[in-house]
C-alpha cells in the first residue's frame, strides 16, 4: 500500500467523513466511490491467472463526485406505476448458490406480470462475512486479508458457474475492482483502529451489489429486458436511531423517476438492505432491511403485490420448532402480522408492513423451495384462516419473547400522584432500555413492566436512584426485579368481537398448571399478553395453541391392557381414526399403551398400524404412575382419557385419583363398580363434583346399551321395579345348546373350544361375573348393596371347586352331569327351559343370581348363540318390560362398547352430533 495517499491522521479524518457529497454509485462498468486509477480488464482467457496471484495495487482514494440533484431536467421516459408492477424479494438463502440464483431467475421469468421489480439480498452468509471483515480490521487482526479473499472466491466461483463471455468478464472486472477498493478501505480501518457507522454501512452493502448484478446478467441471458439498480441512488432514508431509519418517500419518488428515465426497463433487479441519507451518505436499513426495501419499493411503484420469498411455507400459527401442531396461516391482516412480528414471530419486521399499508398492497410470504405451497397473504382484511381448520378461531397465532425480566414499582404513595408513571419511564429512557410490556392495576398501587434481562440491572439502579427519597420516606415500598421471565402473546383481529377469548386462554394455562405473573391487553383487543416463568414458556405455548387450534375434541388416550379386548380396541381405533377426524372433528391420539410388564409411550401419538411391532421394539418396563403422568402431562392436548381394558382390581383402585386429576376414565373393568360400597360411593360423588367423565357401559353388556338405557329411564323420572336378564354370553351359549342329546360337560367343552369361556371355565360357571353385573345395575338403580349381599347359585360342583387346574376340572366334570340333566328333563316335561339369570329386585331392595325355568314362549327362551337379554320392568314399562337383546360377549362387541363410550366422551366435550 505504498501509494496509499493518506497518513494515519488523514485516514482517520477520511473514516469520519465518508459522506461522498453528491456522489453517484455507478453501474458495473464504472468505478464506485473508491476507484482504481486504471481498472484492469479481464477475459475468460486470463481470469484464472489473475485470480491465482496477488499483486500490490497502487490505490488512489478519491470520491467520485457526480451530481444527482433531482432539480435537473428529467428525460422524457415516464415511470409507470400501479398494478402492472409485481415486486419480489429474495433473501440470502434464496441466492445462496449459483443453482439457487438460476432458480430465482426462473421464477422471475415465469412471472407473467407486465413489469417486475426484484429486490435481492447478499448471498447467504455474505453480510456476516462483511461485518466480520470490519471487526477484524478495526481490531487490527491481519486475518481480515484472508477473509476478504474468501469473499472474493465465493463470488468469483459463483460467477464462473453462472456467466460467460463478456458478461463474465465485465462482472469479474467489477468484482476485482471492488475487492481492491475494499482492501484499501479495510487497511485504513486497520490503521485507524476504529470505523464510523456510515463507513461500515458502505462496506457491508457490497454483498447486495454483487448478487444483484449477477442475477441481472442471468435474467438478461434469457433475452429479457432487465437492468440492475443500486438503490443507494434512489432510496433516501433519515436515520432516527442506531437501529431504525425513516424512508423519505417524496425524495425517493423523485430520484426513482430520474433513475427510471435514464434506465427504462420491464425488469429491474434492485439491491436490498442499502440506501442513502439525504446527504448521499451510504447507509443501510439495518437487519431485515431487505424486506423493508421490498415494501418501500412496492409503495413507490404502487405495485399489485409484494412477494417475500424465503425458506418456509408461510407464517405459522406458532413457532413450529416449539409447537409441532403449528399450522400455516393462509391469511393475516396487517395488524395481526404487525403484532406477531413485534412479539418475536418469524413473520416480517414490523416496519416492513408500514409502507404497503398506505396503498393496501398485499404481502405474500412464499417458500422458494416449495413452489406448490400457496404461502401466507398479509392484507387489509383477513377473512379466511387456515385451510380447512378453525375458520372461526378468534386467535390467529401465538408468539413468545424470552430472556426478559419484570420490574415492579409499588407503594401506597403512588396512588393519585400525577407524574409517577412519567418519572418511572423517564428514568428507564435515560438508560436506553426498551420496555416490552406495561401493566398497571386501577388502584395505582403498583406499576410493572418487562424489559430485556440484559438491561434490567441498569433499569433497577436508575429507578432506585430516581426514587431514593420516596423509598426512604416509605411512599414507595420497593423496586422489585423478577428475573427469568418470558412473554406469551395471543394475536387475532377477531378477538375484539369474540367474548370468552381470555377465559379460554387462561383456562388452558391453568390446566397446564402455569402461573401468570402479569397481564396486558390494549383497547384494540388485537392481542393478549401474559408474563410467565421462562421454564414454563414452551409448555404454555403448546397449551394455548392446542386449545385454539386443535379440535376441542382432541383427546390424549392411554390404553391399559393390550390383551384380547385392548388389542381389538386399538385396531378399531386404527381403522376409524381418520374418518372421525375428517368428518366429525374428533382427534383421538393414543399417547401410550401399557401391559403388566411392558409399556410404549409417544409424545405426539402412536402409529396404530404398527403398535404391536413398536411395543416389542421400543417398549420399556411398565410403570403405571409414569404412564399416567406421561399421557396426562402432554398439556398441548386439552383432554385426557385412560381406558382400562383389564380386569385388575389394582388398576381399578386408581380411578379415584385419576378423576381427581381431571383424567376421564372409560372401562369394561367391573372391579371398581362392584367393589366395596363406600369406595364406589366416593368414586361416584367425585365424578359428579369434578365434572370429569367416568363411563363403563361395557361392564354389563359388552356393546349393548344397558347402562345408558337404565340411566335414561332414571334421568327422565321413571322408577325401576325389576331388572332381570341373562348377563353372561358364555352361560347363554351353554344353556341355549344344552339339549336332550348333549350332556352339560359336552356343551361346556364345546363352548371352551369355541372361545366363549375364560381359560378356566369355572370363572364363568361360578356366577361371580354375573353377580358383579347385578350389583352394578343395583347400585345404578339406587340400591346400596355389597357384592356379598347377592346370593349366587354356582354351577361348579362342590368337589371340583378346589381342583388344581382347568384341565383337571374339565376331565372330572362329566361325573356330575346327571344332576343338571335331571333339572333340564324336569323343565322340558313342564314345557320350560333352563336359563342362568341375574335379578335386581328394586322393590324389595335385593338381588339374586340363579338358574331359573322359563316357559318356551318367554323372551328369555328365544335366545340363540351367546346373546344376552335384559328386561327392565319400570313404572312406565310395567305390563310390557323394556327389553334389550343382542350379543353380550366377544372381543369385537366389547371393544365396540368401549369405543362407543370414547365417542360419547367426545360428544360431551363438544364434538358435533
Amino acid at each position: 500500500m505504498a501509494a496509499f495517499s493518506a497518513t494515519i491522521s488523514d485516514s482517520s479524518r477520511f473514516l469520519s467523513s465518508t459522506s461522498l457529497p453528491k456522489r453517484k454509485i455507478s453501474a458495473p462498468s464504472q468505478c464506485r466511490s473508491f476507484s482504481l486509477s486504471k481498472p484492469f480488464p479481464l477475459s475468460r482467457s486470463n481470469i484464472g491467472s489473475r485470480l491465482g496471484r496477488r499483486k500490490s495495487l497502487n490505490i488512489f482514494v478519491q470520491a467520485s463526485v457526480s451530481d444527482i440533484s433531482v432539480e435537473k431536467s428529467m428525460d422524457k421516459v415516464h415511470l409507470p406505476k400501479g398494478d402492472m408492477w409485481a415486486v419480489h424479494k429474495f433473501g440470502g438463502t434464496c441466492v445462496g448458490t449459483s443453482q439457487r440464483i438460476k432458480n430465482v431467475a426462473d421464477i422471475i421469468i415465469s412471472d407473467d406480470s407486465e413489469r417486475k421489480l426484484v429486490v435481492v439480498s447478499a448471498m447467504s452468509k455474505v453480510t456476516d462475512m462483511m461485518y466480520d471483515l470490519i471487526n477484524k480490521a478495526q481490531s487490527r487482526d491481519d486475518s481480515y486479508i484472508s477473509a476478504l479473499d474468501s469473499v472474493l472466491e465465493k463470488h468469483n466461483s459463483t460467477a464462473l458457474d453462472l456467466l460467460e463471455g463478456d458478461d463474465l468478464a465485465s462482472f469479474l472486472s467489477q468484482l476485482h475492482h471492488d475487492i481492491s477498493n475494499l482492501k484499501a478501505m479495510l487497511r485504513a480501518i486497520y490503521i485507524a483502529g476504529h470505523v464510523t457507522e456510515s463507513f461500515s454501512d458502505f462496506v457491508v452493502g457490497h454483498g447486495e451489489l454483487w448478487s444483484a448484478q449477477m442475477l441481472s446478467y442471468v435474467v438478461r441471458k434469457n433475452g429479457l429486458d432487465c437492468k440492475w439498480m443500486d438503490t443507494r441512488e434512489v432510496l433516501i432514508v433519515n436515520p432516527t436511531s442506531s437501529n431504525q431509519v425513516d424512508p423519505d418517500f417524496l425524495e425517493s419518488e423523485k430520484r426513482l423517476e430520474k433513475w427510471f428515465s435514464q434506465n427504462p426497463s420491464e425488469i429491474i433487479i434492485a439491491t436490498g438492505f442499502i440506501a442513502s441519507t439525504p446527504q448521499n451518505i451510504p447507509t443501510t436499513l439495518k437487519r431485515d432491511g431487505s424486506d423493508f426495501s421490498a415494501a418501500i419499493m412496492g409503495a413507490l411503484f404502487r405495485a399489485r403485490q409484494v412477494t417475500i420469498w424465503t425458506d418456509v411455507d408461510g407464517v405459522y400459527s406458532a413457532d413450529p420448532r416449539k409447537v409441532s401442531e403449528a399450522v400455516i396461516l393462509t391469511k393475516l391482516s396487517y395488524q395481526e402480522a404487525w403484532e406477531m412480528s413485534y412479539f418475536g414471530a418469524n413473520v416480517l419486521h414490523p416496519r416492513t408492513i408500514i409502507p404497503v399499508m398506505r396503498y393496501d398492497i398485499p404481502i405474500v410470504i412464499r417458500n422458494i423451495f416449495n413452489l406448490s405451497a400457496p404461502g401466507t397473504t398479509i392484507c387489509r382484511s383477513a377473512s379466511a384462516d387456515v385451510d380447512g381448520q378453525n375458520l372461526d378461531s378468534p386467535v390467529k397465532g401465538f408468539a413468545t419473547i424470552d430472556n426478559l425480566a419484570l420490574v415492579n414499582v409499588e407503594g401506597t404513595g403512588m396512588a393519585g400522584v400525577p407524574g409517577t408513571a412519567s418519572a418511572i419511564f423517564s428514568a428507564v429512557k435515560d438508560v436506553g432500555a426498551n420496555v416490552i410490556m406495561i401493566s398497571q392495576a386501577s388502584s395505582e398501587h403498583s406499576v410493572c413492566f418487562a424489559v430485556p434481562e440484559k438491561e434490567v440491572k441498569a433499569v433497577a439502579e436508575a429507578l432506585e436512584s430516581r426514587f431514593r427519597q420516596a423509598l426512604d420516606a416509605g411512599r414507595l415500598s420497593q423496586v422489585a426485579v423478577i428475573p427469568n421471565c418470558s412473554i406469551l402473546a395471543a394475536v387475532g383481529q377477531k378477538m375484539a368481537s369474540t367474548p370468552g377469548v381470555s377465559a379460554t386462554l387462561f383456562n388452558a394455562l391453568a390446566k397446564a398448571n402455569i402461573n401468570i405473573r402479569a397481564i396486558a391487553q390494549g383497547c384494540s383487543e388485537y392481542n393478549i399478553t401474559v408474563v410467565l416463568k421462562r421454564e414454563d414458556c414452551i409448555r404454555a405455548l403448546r397449551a394455548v395453541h392446542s386449545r385454539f387450534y386443535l379440535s376441542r375434541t382432541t383427546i390424549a388416550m392411554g390404553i391399559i391392557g393390550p390383551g384380547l379386548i385392548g388389542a381389538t380396541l386399538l385396531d378399531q381405533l386404527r381403522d376409524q381414526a381418520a374418518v372421525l377426524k375428517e368428518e366429525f372433528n374428533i382427534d383421538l391420539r393414543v399417547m401410550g399403551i401399557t401391559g403388566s410388564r411392558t409399556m410404549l409411550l409417544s409424545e405426539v401419538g402412536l402409529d396404530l398400524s404398527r403398535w404391536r411391532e413398536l411395543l416389542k421394539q421400543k417398549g420399556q418396563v411398565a410403570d403405571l404412575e409414569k404412564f399416567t403422568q406421561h399421557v396426562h402431562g402432554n398439556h398441548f392436548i386439552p383432554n385426557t382419557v385412560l381406558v382400562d381394558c383389564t380386569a385388575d382390581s389394582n388398576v381399578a383402585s386408581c380411578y379415584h385419583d385419576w378423576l381427581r386429576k381431571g383424567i376421564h376414565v372409560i372401562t369394561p373393568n367391573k372391579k371398581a363398580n362392584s367393589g366395596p360400597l363406600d369406595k364406589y360411593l366416593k368414586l361416584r360423588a367425585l365424578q359428579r363434583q369434578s365434572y370429569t367423565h367416568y363411563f363403563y357401559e361395557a361392564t354389563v353388556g359388552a356393546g349393548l346399551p344397558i347402562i345408558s338405557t337404565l340411566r335414561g329411564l332414571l334421568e327422565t323420572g321413571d322408577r325401576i321395579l325389576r331388572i332381570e336378564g341373562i348377563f353372561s354370553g358364555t352361560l347363554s351359549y351353554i344353556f341355549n345348546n344344552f339339549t336332550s342329546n348333549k350332556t352339560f360337560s359336552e356343551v361346556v367343552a364345546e363352548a371352551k373350544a369355541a372361545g366363549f369361556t375364560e381359560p378356566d371355565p369355572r370363572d364363568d360357571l361360578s356366577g361371580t361375573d354375573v353377580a358383579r353385573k347385578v350389583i352394578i345395575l343395583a347400585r345404578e338403580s339406587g340400591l346400596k348393596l355389597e357384592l356379598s349381599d347377592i346370593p349366587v347359585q354356582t354351577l361348579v360342583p362342590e368337589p371340583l371347586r378346589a381342583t388344581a387346574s382347568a384341565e383337571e376340572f374339565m376331565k372330572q366334570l362329566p361325573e356330575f352331569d346327571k344332576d343338571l340333566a335331571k333339572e333340564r328333563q324336569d323343565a322340558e316335561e313342564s314345557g320350560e327351559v333352563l336359563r342362568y339369570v341375574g335379578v335386581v329386585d328394586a322393590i324389595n331392595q335385593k338381588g339374586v343370581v340363579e338358574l331359573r325355568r322359563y316357559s318356551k314362549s318367554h323372551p328369555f327362551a328365544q335366545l340363540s348363540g351367546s346373546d344376552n337379554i335384559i328386561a327392565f320392568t319400570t313404572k312406565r314399562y310395567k305390563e310390557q318390560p323394556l327389553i334389550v337383546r343382542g350379543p353380550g360377549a366377544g372381543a369385537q362387541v366389547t371393544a365396540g362398547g368401549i369405543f362407543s363410550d370414547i365417542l360419547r366422551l367426545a360428544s360431551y366435550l363438544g364434538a358435533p352430533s
Side-chain angles (χ1 to χ4, degrees):
M1 293 297 175
F4 187 83
S5 57
T7 63
I8 294 292
S9 58
D10 293 331
S11 299
S12 301
R13 191 161 53 250
F14 173 72
L15 290 173
S16 63
S17 59
T18 54
S19 60
L20 309 180
K22 295 188 180 180
R23 160 194 164 281
K24 178 172 182 178
I25 315 297
S26 307
S29 60
Q30 300 169 302
C31 67
R32 299 211 183 95
S33 57
F34 297 90
S35 60
L36 288 170
S37 54
K38 291 184 179 180
F40 49 90
L42 289 178
S43 65
R44 287 192 72 86
S45 61
N46 67 6
I47 287 168
S49 61
R50 289 194 177 274
L51 291 181
R53 67 178 184 267
R54 185 181 301 164
K55 60 186 289 185
S56 175
L57 297 174
N58 293 331
I59 306 297
F60 177 65
V61 182
Q62 65 178 23
S64 232
V65 180
S66 175
D67 195 341
I68 60 169
S69 172
V70 296
E71 284 79 11
K72 291 188 176 182
S73 62
M74 306 286 242
D75 291 343
K76 292 183 179 180
V77 179
H78 177 67
L79 171 65
K81 296 182 179 181
D83 286 353
M84 76 281 292
W85 286 99
V87 174
H88 295 266
K89 179 264 174 178
F90 295 94
T93 55
C94 298
V95 292
T97 66
S98 57
Q99 183 56 53
R100 290 181 181 180
I101 292 175
K102 291 177 184 177
N103 295 342
V104 168
D106 290 341
I107 292 173
I108 297 168
I109 293 164
S110 63
D111 181 2
D112 58 4
S113 300
E114 184 180 341
R115 293 176 179 272
K116 288 160 274 192
L117 183 285
V118 180
V119 176
V120 291
S121 299
M123 293 180 70
S124 180
K125 307 298 182 185
V126 166
T127 300
D128 289 338
M129 293 170 75
M130 302 302 282
Y131 276 118
D132 185 55
L133 288 174
I134 294 168
N135 291 335
K136 285 180 175 178
Q138 71 175 343
S139 301
R140 292 176 174 160
D141 180 349
D142 290 330
S143 66
Y144 79 86
I145 298 173
S146 60
L148 183 60
D149 289 341
S150 297
V151 173
L152 170 62
E153 176 55 30
K154 183 179 182 74
H155 292 85
N156 181 78
S157 60
T158 303
L160 289 172
D161 284 343
L162 292 172
L163 309 177
E164 56 189 17
D166 292 341
D167 288 347
L168 178 63
S170 178
F171 175 77
L172 289 181
S173 174
Q174 187 63 50
L175 175 64
H176 280 262
H177 187 176
D178 294 341
I179 294 294
S180 297
N181 290 336
L182 287 172
K183 192 172 292 186
M185 298 177 202
L186 292 168
R187 176 62 180 172
I189 295 171
Y190 181 94
I191 293 170
H194 75 276
V195 62
T196 63
E197 183 180 354
S198 59
F199 201 86
S200 173
D201 287 346
F202 184 82
V203 171
V204 299
H206 278 74
E208 279 71 18
L209 297 171
W210 296 325
S211 61
Q213 291 174 66
M214 284 191 288
L215 180 58
S216 70
Y217 281 124
V218 175
V219 174
R220 267 206 301 271
K221 193 164 65 171
N222 286 272
L224 298 177
D225 176 24
C226 177
K227 291 188 172 62
W228 80 278
M229 173 196 289
D230 181 347
T231 49
R232 292 176 299 184
E233 299 177 27
V234 171
L235 187 52
I236 304 303
V237 296
N238 292 298
T240 58
S241 71
S242 60
N243 293 313
Q244 289 192 357
V245 294
D246 286 336
D248 185 335
F249 284 99
L250 184 61
E251 181 64 20
S252 297
E253 284 190 346
K254 292 177 182 178
R255 297 198 182 204
L256 177 60
E257 289 278 1
K258 180 175 178 62
W259 186 93
F260 191 83
S261 71
Q262 297 172 353
N263 303 276
S265 180
E266 292 182 356
I267 301 175
I268 300 171
I269 311 296
T271 56
F273 184 55
I274 56 178
S276 294
T277 68
Q279 296 76 35
N280 300 324
I281 299 174
T283 188
T284 69
L285 303 184
K286 315 308 173 189
R287 287 291 185 180
D288 299 314
S290 292
D291 287 352
F292 198 15
S293 297
I296 296 168
M297 285 298 178
L300 292 174
F301 281 89
R302 312 293 193 269
R304 183 181 73 257
Q305 75 175 33
V306 175
T307 303
I308 307 291
W309 292 91
T310 180
D311 56 359
V312 293
D313 285 344
V315 180
Y316 283 86
S317 53
D319 187 340
R321 294 168 299 183
K322 298 176 180 177
V323 181
S324 60
E325 307 290 335
V327 294
I328 297 291
L329 302 168
T330 56
K331 283 195 176 180
L332 282 174
S333 70
Y334 292 129
Q335 289 81 4
E336 288 167 338
W338 199 338
E339 294 277 1
M340 290 182 70
S341 299
Y342 177 79
F343 285 104
N346 187 21
V347 186
L348 296 168
H349 193 279
R351 293 175 62 81
T352 303
I353 300 166
I354 299 172
V356 296
M357 282 181 66
R358 183 182 303 180
Y359 302 106
D360 283 347
I361 300 169
I363 299 176
V364 182
I365 313 294
R366 294 283 305 276
N367 188 350
I368 194 170
F369 305 115
N370 182 13
L371 299 180
S372 62
T376 300
T377 300
I378 300 170
C379 54
R380 176 68 62 185
S381 175
S383 56
D385 200 335
V386 185
D387 285 341
Q389 300 183 53
N390 279 353
L391 292 177
D392 297 323
S393 175
V395 178
K396 280 291 185 68
F398 300 90
T400 58
I401 305 177
D402 294 322
N403 302 316
L404 300 177
L406 204 59
V407 180
N408 186 43
V409 182
E410 65 176 60
T412 54
M414 293 173 60
V417 179
T420 302
S422 173
I424 290 171
F425 295 111
S426 175
V428 175
K429 175 180 176 294
D430 289 344
V431 297
N434 180 32
V435 177
I436 309 294
M437 188 208 82
I438 304 169
S439 180
Q440 180 179 15
S442 58
S443 66
E444 301 183 56
H445 178 70
S446 67
V447 175
C448 73
F449 54 93
V451 296
E453 205 157 37
K454 62 184 179 182
E455 299 173 357
V456 72
K457 182 178 180 182
V459 168
E461 290 173 353
L463 289 172
E464 288 172 355
S465 173
R466 172 65 179 79
F467 292 102
R468 174 52 55 202
Q469 184 177 354
L471 287 164
D472 292 343
R475 295 194 303 276
L476 289 186
S477 56
Q478 66 172 344
V479 175
V481 172
I482 304 172
N484 302 317
C485 293
S486 291
I487 276 180
L488 168 65
V491 174
Q493 198 162 345
K494 286 186 182 178
M495 288 165 55
S497 57
T498 307
V501 175
S502 296
T504 303
L505 179 77
F506 297 139
N507 180 264
L509 293 172
K511 185 179 184 299
N513 197 31
I514 291 168
N515 185 45
I516 299 170
R517 288 180 161 173
I519 304 167
Q521 180 179 15
C523 60
S524 69
E525 299 184 59
Y526 286 169
N527 87 66
I528 301 172
T529 305
V530 296
V531 180
L532 316 157
K533 291 180 181 177
R534 185 188 304 160
E535 58 265 30
D536 290 340
C537 188
I538 293 179
R539 195 155 50 92
L541 182 61
R542 290 173 178 171
V544 297
H545 185 273
S546 68
R547 186 55 60 93
F548 286 96
Y549 268 96
L550 294 186
S551 161
R552 275 175 27 186
T553 47
T554 298
I555 302 175
M557 300 175 61
I559 307 296
I560 303 169
L564 181 60
I565 292 173
T568 305
L569 173 63
L570 286 164
D571 291 341
Q572 290 179 355
L573 288 167
R574 174 200 64 203
D575 296 340
Q576 195 66 10
V579 175
L580 290 172
K581 187 171 183 180
E582 183 177 344
E583 296 186 13
F584 300 98
N585 202 23
I586 298 173
D587 188 359
L588 304 177
R589 304 191 188 186
V590 177
M591 311 301 288
I593 300 170
T594 184
S596 58
R597 292 186 294 272
T598 309
M599 68 179 180
L600 176 66
L601 306 177
S602 170
E603 292 294 334
V604 294
L606 290 167
D607 177 0
L608 294 185
S609 66
R610 300 176 56 230
W611 72 265
R612 291 176 177 85
E613 173 190 343
L614 293 170
L615 188 60
K616 290 178 182 177
Q617 293 177 353
K618 300 184 178 181
Q620 51 187 282
V621 177
D623 182 329
L624 188 57
E625 184 177 352
K626 181 180 177 182
F627 178 83
T628 303
Q629 289 174 348
H630 172 82
V631 176
H632 188 49
N634 283 279
H635 298 292
F636 66 92
I637 297 182
N639 310 291
T640 305
V641 61
L642 291 177
V643 182
D644 174 20
C645 298
T646 73
D648 191 328
S649 57
N650 290 325
V651 177
S653 67
C654 298
Y655 294 174
H656 186 276
D657 185 53
W658 293 345
L659 291 171
R660 187 174 54 81
K661 292 177 178 178
I663 301 172
H664 308 291
V665 177
I666 293 173
T667 185
N669 187 343
K670 306 171 190 65
K671 298 297 173 63
N673 285 14
S674 62
L677 179 63
D678 60 334
K679 291 185 177 179
Y680 167 79
L681 294 174
K682 185 179 177 183
L683 184 65
R684 293 303 305 277
L686 175 63
Q687 176 199 357
R688 296 187 184 99
Q689 293 166 4
S690 66
Y691 297 97
T692 306
H693 299 290
Y694 172 41
F695 295 146
Y696 42 87
E697 184 70 75
T699 57
V700 176
L704 296 179
I706 295 173
I707 297 291
S708 56
T709 298
L710 175 55
R711 282 192 169 182
L713 293 169
L714 293 169
E715 289 169 2
T716 57
D718 203 353
R719 181 186 169 200
I720 302 298
L721 304 178
R722 182 184 186 86
I723 303 172
E724 185 173 1
I726 297 172
F727 294 103
S728 168
T730 302
L731 294 171
S732 175
Y733 178 88
I734 289 172
F735 283 99
N736 287 339
N737 290 277
F738 183 30
T739 57
S740 58
N741 59 348
K742 291 182 181 178
T743 65
F744 183 72
S745 61
E746 288 173 343
V747 177
V748 172
E750 185 182 300
K752 186 175 188 297
F756 286 117
T757 72
E758 295 292 336
D760 188 338
R762 286 174 293 183
D763 293 340
D764 297 297
L765 298 175
S766 68
T768 304
D769 186 66
V770 176
R772 289 188 180 278
K773 294 178 180 179
V774 168
I775 201 70
I776 289 170
L777 291 176
R779 289 174 175 178
E780 286 290 315
S781 303
L783 278 61
K784 291 182 170 57
L785 298 176
E786 293 282 6
L787 186 60
S788 58
D789 295 332
I790 307 294
V792 180
Q793 179 184 349
T794 179
L795 299 177
V796 181
E798 175 86 31
L800 300 185
R801 292 174 192 172
T803 303
S805 67
E807 289 75 16
E808 188 66 27
F809 166 76
M810 292 300 297
K811 185 177 179 180
Q812 297 181 31
L813 184 60
E815 300 173 14
F816 301 90
D817 281 341
K818 59 183 179 180
D819 293 337
L820 278 173
K822 186 176 186 307
E823 281 197 57
R824 177 191 54 73
Q825 186 177 351
D826 290 345
E828 273 191 359
E829 290 173 354
S830 301
E832 296 175 327
V833 296
L834 294 177
R835 294 294 183 260
Y836 194 81
V837 298
V839 179
V840 176
D841 184 349
I843 295 175
N844 296 307
Q845 302 280 299
K846 66 179 183 179
V848 65
V849 176
E850 60 187 7
L851 190 64
R852 288 188 174 183
R853 291 160 57 166
Y854 292 90
S855 69
K856 291 185 178 180
S857 62
H858 193 282
F860 287 14
Q862 310 300 315
L863 290 184
S864 62
S866 61
D867 281 3
N868 284 6
I869 186 168
I870 296 90
F872 294 93
T873 304
T874 72
K875 186 177 178 183
R876 292 178 191 155
Y877 297 93
K878 191 171 185 179
E879 304 300 326
Q880 186 80 19
L882 174 63
I883 291 178
V884 178
R885 172 181 171 175
Q892 287 291 338
V893 293
T894 303
I898 300 167
F899 201 164
S900 179
D901 270 349
I902 294 169
L903 297 182
R904 184 167 157 222
L905 172 64
S907 178
Y908 279 34
L909 295 173
S913 58

